[in-house]
């Protein structure tokens, strides 16, 4: 196990093994055993490209040897930032094979996030696209190599931008093929108890934490998800959201589909124009999206009239699905629905096919594993009765016991007996179903993308025109939530477009930019001297609480429009 990871205590690890949750298989074993059973079947589809299980095993083996030839060593961390392409899967399995650890970045991440990921992981490599959606990733990669001491190797999806210092992924595979033409060079088998890869936390801390996931824990989680959704070799899964997202990667996602011998189809984005024809052509049976995509698809279905009847499970998770929206899915899209509550930190809950209709529409179901432990507690960590709202704590065979290299944060984020404090407010129905009711963590859930308030506030306060900043969520019909920024300006308050431009210049990802901004004379504080976000959130929602009225009364402006009062 890498330094900086928190292993499960020995008694739990032994129990999870003895009870058959951890089977001692690596992700490589999973792929190879599927390939042994379904060799010529189609594993992956991307546009017109179809890759069989045999080809995927061969290509990832070549990638492993190629990465090794080019200087990537076992245990090296490699930040992987790719769109939904076949190479993403090839690179992951190549790195797993080698014992190197992918660190998943989102394609929307920019300098601020990438630098942080490279630094906390101490990454030796960075795999990036070419110019993607107008952004010059190779230029960012080169800049990062100059700025981050550990980073030695850059790899790109785009052959046309490759050079001596930026190796094309096709050249990595070619180097592997040249060094190992018969595919027999011995490569060490990954240790199933070892870290396989790193996911990113949803960002309760200003900068995201890394979550190490072991082969044992992740293989088990996927198997439990596969069983809960009854995935088989006949299933066709469509990856709509970024494949680096835990939901899309393994719940059961692309990798769980490969475990089952099915076909995983990679969509370039979530637009109905892109996804509906693919669903019809490939007869997709399972896909996973957030409520904001559901909304988009419902709107488009009215005039596009797609045939989505092959989709037996439209998995919806990442943020709260409201009952009204849930109730429209079956009649208007013609697909089956499955609510999913999940987190990169572990615990996954699903509703099931045979759930009563109301449970399907209003709850997030049950954990996928009988070994998942959930507690709902009050602010003194005491368990509350059913149907009472409290914080969700969880522990189990695929919920790691700590963030990577974060001992101080771990002391707060986990109880002494290893329960993860989710920061979500939830209740359990009397029959044990989970219902998410809100959260206590300071983030904005913007269409399923989690934005840490502290991260954005730090960037805002770093701008010369702003002395203090606080961001809060406001409800939004499409995204679930949008971000409202309150700022105290130095001199003339900057406008929203100016702020967005300045934050983009600082390398902040676009999904973290505020949607609205309002300048105030000062920020309200609680009795304990912390910024009172409840007042700000109420004001952002257009509500006037008595305290807010008092606090804001001296203000002349506060229009809530894009041009702040100054
Ligand atoms: C998924 O993972 P993350 O790590 O991006 O975010 C986890 C957080 C949860 O703590 C909760 O605040 C929120 O996202 N969340 C939901 C939800 N599912 C996740 N809030 C309300 N209702 C739901 N159904 O978002 C994720 C990972 C794997 C599978 C699905 C989602």
């Amino acid at each position: 196990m890498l330094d900086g990871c928190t292993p499960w205590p020995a008694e739990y690890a032994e129990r999870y093994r003895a009870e058959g949750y951890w089977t001692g298989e690596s992700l490589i074993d999973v792929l190879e055993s599927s390939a042994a059973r379904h060799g010529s079947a189609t594993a992956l589809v991307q546009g017109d490209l179809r890759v069989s299980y045999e080809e995927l095993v061969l290509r990832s083996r070549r990638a492993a040897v190629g990465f090794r030839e080019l200087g990537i060593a076992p245990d090296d961390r490699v930040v992987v930032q790719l769109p939904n392409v076949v190479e993403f899967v090839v690179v992951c399995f190549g790195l797993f094979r080698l014992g190197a650890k992918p660190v998943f970045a989102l394609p929307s991440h920019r300098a601020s996030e990438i630098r942080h990921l490279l630094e906390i992981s101490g990454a030796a490599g960075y795999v990036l696209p070419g110019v993607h959606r107008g952004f010059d990733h190779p230029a960012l990669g080169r800049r990062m190599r100059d700025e981050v001491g550990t980073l030695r190797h850059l790899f790109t999806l785009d052959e046309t931008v490759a050079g001596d210092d930026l190796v094309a992924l096709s050249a990595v595979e070619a180097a592997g093929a040249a060094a190992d033409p018969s595919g027999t060079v011995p490569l060490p088998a990954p240790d199933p108890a070892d870290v396989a890869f790193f996911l990113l936390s949803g960002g309760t801390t200003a900068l995201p934490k890394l979550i190490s996931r072991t082969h044992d824990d992740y293989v088990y989680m996927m198997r439990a998800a596969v069983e809960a959704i009854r995935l088989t070799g006949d299933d066709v899964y469509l990856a709509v959201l970024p494949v680096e997202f835990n939901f899309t990667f393994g719940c059961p996602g692309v990798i769980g589909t490969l475990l089952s011998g099915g076909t995983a189809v990679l969509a370039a984005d979530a637009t109905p124009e892109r996804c509906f024809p693919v669903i019809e052509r490939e007869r997709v049976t399972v896909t996973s999206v957030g409520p904001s995509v559901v909304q988009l698809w419902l709107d488009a279905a009215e005039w596009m009239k797609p045939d989505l009847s092959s989709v037996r499970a439209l998995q919806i998770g990442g943020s709260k699905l409201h009952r009204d929206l849930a109730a429209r899915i079956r009649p208007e899209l013609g697909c089956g629905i499955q609510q999913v509550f999940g987190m990169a930190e572990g615990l996954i809950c699903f509703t099931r096919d045979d759930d009563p209709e109301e449970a399907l529409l209003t709850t997030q179901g049950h954990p996928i594993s009988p070994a998942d432990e959930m507690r709902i507690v009050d602010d003194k960590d005491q368990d509350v009765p059913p149907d009472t709202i409290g914080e969700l704590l969880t522990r189990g065979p695929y919920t790691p016991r700590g963030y990577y290299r974060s001992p101080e944060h771990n002391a707060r984020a986990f109880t002494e007996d290893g329960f993860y404090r989710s920061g979500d407010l939830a209740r359990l129905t009397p029959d044990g179903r989970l219902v998410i009711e809100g959260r206590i963590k300071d983030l904005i859930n913007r269409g399923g993308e989690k934005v840490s308030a502290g991260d954005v506030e730090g960037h805002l306060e770093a701008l010369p025109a702003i002395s203090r900043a606080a961001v809060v969520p406001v409800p939004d019909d499409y995204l679930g939530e949008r971000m409202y920024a309150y700022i105290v300006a130095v001199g003339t308050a900057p406008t929203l477009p100016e702020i967005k431009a300045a934050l983009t210049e600082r390398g902040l990802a676009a999904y973290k930019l505020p949607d609205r901004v309002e300048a105030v004379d000062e920020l309200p504080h609680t009795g304990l001297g912390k910024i009172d976000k409840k007042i700000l959130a109420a004001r952002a929602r257009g509500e006037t609480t008595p305290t807010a009225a008092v606090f804001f009364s001296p203000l002349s402006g506060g229009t809530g429009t894009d041009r702040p009062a100054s």
Side-chain angles (χ1 to χ4, degrees):
M1 178 81 64
L2 283 178
D3 273 357
C5 297
T6 316
W8 277 263
E11 57 172 301
Y12 282 87
E14 278 158 26
R15 192 187 121 204
Y16 294 147
R17 277 195 196 98
E19 293 179 4
Y21 300 114
W22 293 355
T23 52
E25 287 163 288
S26 72
L27 289 155
I28 292 294
D29 296 330
V30 162
L31 177 66
E32 290 187 347
S33 82
S34 279
R37 281 175 290 132
H38 313 273
S40 58
T42 303
L44 297 171
V45 177
Q46 178 200 336
D48 294 332
L49 178 66
R50 306 182 91 79
V51 178
S52 70
Y53 276 87
E54 279 160 357
E55 283 172 84
L56 179 57
V57 169
L58 180 68
R59 286 186 62 182
S60 47
R61 195 186 156 81
R62 286 182 175 161
V65 178
F67 278 128
R68 193 175 67 178
E69 290 293 305
L70 292 161
I72 298 293
D75 277 347
D76 273 352
R77 274 78 64 205
V78 177
V79 171
V80 180
Q81 183 188 35
L82 289 176
N84 288 3
V85 291
V86 163
E87 285 79 359
F88 173 83
V89 185
V90 171
V91 163
C92 285
F93 280 104
L95 294 172
F96 297 156
R97 244 270 163 245
L98 197 59
K101 325 291 188 213
V103 178
F104 293 161
L106 295 174
S108 51
H109 284 158
R110 296 292 177 259
S112 168
E113 295 85 18
I114 296 292
R115 184 187 295 105
H116 171 67
L117 294 181
L118 292 166
E119 281 174 355
I120 40 166
S121 66
Y126 175 20
V127 181
L128 45 86
V131 174
H132 180 64
R133 296 197 178 147
F135 184 78
D136 189 345
H137 290 270
L140 174 65
R142 292 191 167 108
R143 194 177 126 202
M144 289 296 120
R145 210 203 7 226
D146 292 341
E147 291 178 17
V148 180
T150 56
L151 182 60
R152 301 186 309 271
H153 305 284
L154 298 176
F155 304 97
T156 178
L157 181 62
D158 183 356
E159 289 175 4
T160 65
V161 298
D164 290 346
D165 60 343
L166 185 57
V167 182
L169 289 172
S170 55
V172 176
E173 288 185 48
D180 180 24
S182 56
T184 49
V185 164
L187 286 165
D191 175 357
D194 194 7
V195 173
F197 59 91
F198 291 91
L199 292 172
L200 304 191
S201 73
T204 47
T205 46
L207 292 165
K209 301 280 176 209
L210 292 186
I211 303 159
S212 53
R213 302 296 301 257
T214 66
H215 290 274
D216 264 332
D217 99 62
Y218 211 76
V219 169
Y220 170 59
M221 183 199 77
M222 290 194 303
R223 196 154 273 148
V226 160
E227 274 170 28
I229 196 171
R230 294 200 275 266
L231 206 70
T232 71
D234 296 330
D235 276 296
V236 179
Y237 174 81
L238 180 67
V240 169
L241 303 173
V243 70
E244 291 90 349
F245 191 29
N246 189 28
F247 197 7
T248 330
F249 191 65
C251 302
V254 171
I255 310 296
T257 301
L258 298 180
L259 178 153
S260 317
T263 301
V265 182
L266 303 164
D269 59 50
T271 55
E273 293 76 9
R274 187 88 68 170
C275 293
F276 290 173
V278 179
I279 292 175
E280 291 177 354
R281 192 185 70 217
E282 303 291 340
R283 304 296 298 158
V284 167
T285 58
V286 177
T287 184
S288 26
V289 297
S292 54
V293 173
V294 173
Q295 180 80 58
L296 197 69
W297 286 14
L298 280 167
D299 290 351
E302 274 180 35
W303 58 274
M304 287 179 75
K305 308 238 175 302
D307 173 11
L308 307 183
S309 58
S310 59
V311 180
R312 66 177 178 85
L314 177 63
Q315 296 187 295
I316 303 154
S319 58
K320 180 84 181 173
L321 175 66
H322 292 286
R323 193 190 184 289
D324 296 353
L325 201 59
R328 290 175 56 196
I329 293 170
R330 229 193 285 266
E332 293 180 39
L333 291 179
C335 347
I337 150 174
Q338 179 178 54
Q339 293 217 35
V340 178
F341 168 82
M343 50 174 84
E345 286 81 357
L347 179 69
I348 305 291
C349 297
F350 281 179
T351 55
R352 318 286 154 112
D353 283 352
D354 51 4
D355 276 345
E357 184 71 3
E358 201 51 31
L360 212 56
L361 298 181
T362 60
T363 82
Q364 284 69 59
H366 289 105
I368 56 172
S369 166
D372 281 322
E373 299 172 73
M374 293 196 295
R375 292 179 59 203
I376 309 284
V377 301
D378 62 18
D379 54 9
K380 296 190 182 58
D381 275 359
Q382 299 299 309
D383 292 273
V384 298
D387 264 339
T388 309
I389 297 175
E391 185 184 5
L392 169 67
L393 310 186
T394 186
R395 183 169 80 170
Y398 60 92
T399 300
R401 297 299 185 98
Y403 290 104
Y404 183 55
R405 292 185 174 166
S406 307
E408 277 171 35
H409 182 64
N410 287 340
R412 289 191 300 275
F414 291 82
T415 63
E416 269 176 23
D417 53 356
F419 277 84
Y420 169 62
R421 297 181 192 276
S422 71
D424 290 310
L425 288 175
R427 66 184 163 87
L428 288 176
T429 62
D431 46 12
R433 293 188 164 88
L434 180 73
V435 182
I436 300 296
E437 297 281 3
R439 77 177 86 95
I440 45 179
K441 51 191 173 190
D442 196 10
L443 58 78
I444 289 101
N445 189 337
R446 209 170 169 282
E449 296 196 281
K450 317 300 182 312
V451 185
S452 148
D455 185 10
V456 181
E457 288 159 359
H459 281 278
L460 285 169
E461 289 179 358
L463 301 180
I466 295 176
S467 65
R468 300 287 286 137
V471 299
V472 292
V474 267
D476 180 81
D477 284 348
Y478 273 85
L479 289 174
E481 292 175 10
R482 282 185 194 267
M483 194 197 307
Y484 203 124
Y486 285 93
I487 57 167
V488 178
V490 180
T492 308
T495 62
L496 182 65
E498 285 163 359
I499 290 175
K500 285 186 170 182
L503 294 181
T504 304
E505 178 70 17
R506 288 183 60 78
L508 202 65
Y511 70 91
K512 295 184 179 172
L513 300 178
D515 297 290
R516 303 182 93 186
V517 64
E518 184 178 337
V520 292
D521 292 343
E522 59 176 305
L523 296 172
H525 285 84
T526 64
L528 294 171
K530 283 175 67 176
I531 292 176
D532 194 335
K533 294 214 164 174
K534 280 203 181 121
I535 291 190
L536 292 175
R539 179 176 169 92
R541 288 194 300 268
E543 296 164 14
T544 27
T545 60
T547 354
V550 170
F551 179 78
F552 285 109
S553 57
L555 279 180
S556 52
T559 56
T561 61
D562 287 356
R563 182 160 288 274
S566 49

